[in-house]
Amino acid sequence: MNLNNSYEFLSFVHLSTIGPAFIIATYMMLIKKGTAQHKFLGRIYMVLMLFTAMVTLFMSAQVGPTLFDHFGFIHLLSVLVLYSVPSAYFAIKAGDVKKHKLNMIGLYIGGMVVAGGFTLVPGRFLGDLIFT
């Protein structure tokens, strides 16, 4: 498998996890918090987000400057996810609902909305797939 095929494969793995995570997160923003359903979906969402963030670390930046010819600014959002998910999990386990909520909202905005917007930039795989 050459580098381009590897990147495409990782892109599809990423999309297959981030798609359901986005749907779950959006739904969870609308439902009552603290219920068994919220907790169940939250666990699935957290696993999906951690997995997808790990996958993105293996995908080299396609746009802009890079560090070590691999990591770009977009990878900072992966780091945000890898910090926010455990932080939110441990916050709710400690009963700190406010910290949990702030981490989850930050994760949704930064890890989904902002990162999702960057994927549509020309020159990126998904942006080119959709617009060309």
Side-chain angles (χ1 to χ4, degrees), residues 58-124:
F58 291 98
M59 300 169 66
S60 61
Q62 302 294 300
V63 175
T66 60
L67 178 65
F68 305 121
D69 200 32
H70 181 85
F71 299 105
F73 290 119
I74 192 86
H75 288 100
L76 293 174
L77 296 171
S78 301
V79 174
L80 169 75
V81 171
L82 294 173
Y83 168 80
S84 295
V85 170
S87 180
Y89 176 80
F90 290 120
I92 203 63
K93 287 296 181 187
D96 191 343
V97 175
K98 183 178 180 181
K99 183 177 179 181
H100 174 78
K101 181 179 178 179
L102 289 174
N103 272 285
M104 289 291 96
I105 291 171
L107 181 61
Y108 186 82
I109 292 169
M112 300 263 186
V113 176
V114 172
F118 282 130
T119 64
L120 301 177
V121 171
R124 295 194 43 107

Side-chain angles (χ1 to χ4, degrees), residues 12-71:
F12 286 116
V13 171
H14 174 57
L15 289 172
S16 71
T17 55
I18 201 65
F22 180 75
I23 292 167
I24 290 169
T26 303
Y27 176 71
M28 286 181 40
M29 298 280 266
L30 303 172
I31 66 171
K32 182 175 170 52
K33 310 305 181 272
T35 65
Q37 181 186 35
H38 174 87
K39 292 174 185 180
F40 175 74
L41 290 174
R43 288 182 184 105
I44 294 170
Y45 172 67
M46 287 181 160
V47 168
L48 287 170
M49 288 302 290
L50 287 172
F51 183 80
T52 204
M54 295 296 286
V55 167
T56 62
L57 293 176
F58 291 98
M59 300 169 66
S60 61
Q62 302 294 300
V63 175
T66 60
L67 178 65
F68 305 121
D69 200 32
H70 181 85
F71 299 105

